[in-house]
Amino acid sequence: MRGSRSFFASACCRGLFALLGCTKPTDAGSLPSASAAASVSVAPAAAPVAPAAMDPFLTAEAVSSKSIGHTSYVLKLKLEGGSVAAFKPRSKLPLGDHRYRGEIAAYRLATALGLDNVPRAIPRSFDAAKLRALQGDFAEKGLPDEDGRIRGALMPWIDAYRVLPLEEKEQRARWGVWLFDAHSIIPDDRRALLSTMIAFDYVTANWDRWSGGNVAEDGATGKLLFVDNDGAFYEWPDPAALARQRGLLRRVTRFARRFVAALRGMDAAKVRAALGEEAPGVPLVSERVVAGVAERCAAVVDAVDARIRDAGEGVTLVFE
C-alpha cells in the first residue's frame, strides 16, 4: 500500500543494504490505539526524538495539507514552525479506520528489538474541522471521532528518500544468492541484512512488503528503511500469506546476531509493553495480535536454531 512517490528519488542499488544500527529511539508522545491493524504507506524519518514540549511533531498544528495517497489516505502536512510530515488518518477507505496503527506498532516493535530501520511513527490527532478547511477531499475520506478530532500516525518527512526496487526479478535473484546460499560472497559494502527484514515481516505478519516500493533507503545516510507496513498486525493474518513468509524465512541462511538475541526474549509480556497504548487505557493492538507476534518471534528463533544445528553458529549468525 503506497503513498505518493513524487518525493522519492528513483532507486539505485548502490549502498543497498546498509548495516542495521542498534540505536533505540524513544517516543515522548502518547501511546498507540486499540485493535490490531496494519500500517502506513509513506516514508517517515527516524529522527532523534525531542522532549514533548520541544518536539513539533508532537505538538505543532498543521498549516497546509496535500493528499498524496494512492491505495490509502495519506496527507503531506506542513506544520507550524516549518516541519513537514506524512499523516495517515483514520479514513473511510477499506480497513482505513485502523490501518494507521500498524505503522506505529511496527516502529515501536522495531525499537524494542534494537532496530532503527522502521521510520518514526507517532500517534497524533488534529482538529478535524481545521484539516477539512485545509484539505479538499477530507470530508469525503477522513473519519473523525465523535469529539471532532481525527486520529492517525504522523511520520516526519524524509527528503532524501529513495525507493529500492528489490521486488524486481533481477534484484531478487541478486540478493537471494546472498541470503539463501551460505557459500556466496557478500560484498563488503552491501551488508545483506535483508534477512532481518524478512524475519521482521514474518513476526509482524506483513503480507505487503513485496508489492512494489515498500523498501527504501535514506539517501542522506544510506540506511535501509522498512516502510509501508500497513499490511502488518492484522487481527486475522491471511494463512496463505503467512505460509509464503515462512517459506521465504526458511530459505534464509544468514542472520544478525543481536536481532536474534532480541527475539529470544520477546515474549507476550514484552510485546505488549513494546506496543503500548494509543491513549491511557486504550491498547494499540488486541491481545490476539500480541499473542500472534510473540508466537512468531519464537518461530523465527526456532528456525535460526535449526539452521545453527545444521550448519553451525559461525556461518549462521554472520551479521552483528
Side-chain angles (χ1 to χ4, degrees), residues 13 15-19 166 175 178 189-194 222 224:
C13 296
L16 205 59
F17 309 121
L19 180 63
L166 301 188
W175 61 255
W178 298 343
D189 62 339
R190 295 179 183 178
R191 302 290 183 102
L193 289 171
L194 275 172
L224 186 71

Side-chain angles (χ1 to χ4, degrees), residues 2-233:
R2 296 174 297 284
S4 167
R5 302 298 182 182
S6 60
F7 63 102
F8 302 157
S10 61
C12 72
C13 296
R14 178 183 49 82
L16 205 59
F17 309 121
L19 180 63
L20 293 180
C22 286
T23 56
K24 296 188 177 183
T26 57
D27 204 310
S30 57
L31 298 173
S33 135
S35 157
S39 168
V40 171
S41 55
V42 195
V49 181
M54 301 170 57
D55 188 343
F57 297 109
L58 296 174
T59 58
E61 295 299 323
V63 296
S64 70
S65 173
K66 179 182 179 181
S67 182
I68 60 172
H70 288 161
T71 57
S72 57
Y73 191 47
V74 187
L75 305 177
K76 180 180 181 181
L77 300 182
K78 183 176 181 180
L79 306 177
E80 292 173 337
S83 297
V84 180
F87 181 59
K88 182 169 186 177
R90 293 182 70 226
S91 78
K92 299 173 184 177
L93 300 181
L95 300 178
D97 64 330
H98 60 252
R99 283 168 57 171
Y100 70 91
R101 294 177 185 138
E103 197 69 46
I104 300 166
Y107 169 68
R108 290 180 173 184
L109 182 63
T111 299
L113 292 171
L115 307 177
D116 63 356
N117 300 81
V118 174
R120 185 187 180 199
I122 60 175
R124 271 297 308 263
S125 71
F126 292 91
D127 185 301
K130 291 181 179 178
L131 273 189
R132 190 178 296 112
L134 294 173
Q135 184 60 50
D137 61 357
F138 185 85
E140 174 190 353
K141 296 182 178 179
L143 186 61
D145 291 322
E146 292 182 359
D147 63 0
R149 296 188 69 79
I150 186 161
R151 290 174 282 135
L154 190 77
M155 298 158 287
W157 199 260
I158 295 179
D159 289 325
Y161 183 97
R162 292 198 297 234
V163 174
L164 301 176
L166 301 188
E167 71 281 353
E168 293 181 2
K169 184 176 180 180
E170 180 180 338
Q171 290 302 318
R172 286 183 77 109
R174 191 175 188 186
W175 61 255
V177 170
W178 298 343
L179 291 184
F180 305 147
D181 181 356
H183 303 290
S184 65
I185 298 174
I186 301 172
D188 291 339
D189 62 339
R190 295 179 183 178
R191 302 290 183 102
L193 289 171
L194 275 172
S195 63
T196 297
M197 185 177 70
I198 289 170
F200 183 78
D201 286 344
Y202 177 66
V203 164
T204 64
N206 183 0
W207 58 267
D208 193 36
R209 179 67 61 203
W210 305 107
S211 65
N214 294 338
V215 187
E217 180 185 56
D218 184 341
T221 64
K223 181 180 294 181
L224 186 71
L225 301 175
F226 309 168
V227 298
D228 288 356
N229 295 287
D230 73 354
F233 298 97

Side-chain angles (χ1 to χ4, degrees), residues 34-37 203-205 232-239 242 267-268 271-272 275 283-297:
S35 157
V203 164
T204 64
F233 298 97
Y234 276 46
E235 189 83 17
W236 300 93
D238 178 64
L242 276 178
D267 58 14
V271 170
R272 187 181 304 109
L275 299 184
L284 176 63
V285 300
S286 71
E287 280 301 306
R288 178 180 177 82
V289 174
V290 168
V293 170
E295 288 171 6
R296 290 188 294 273
C297 285

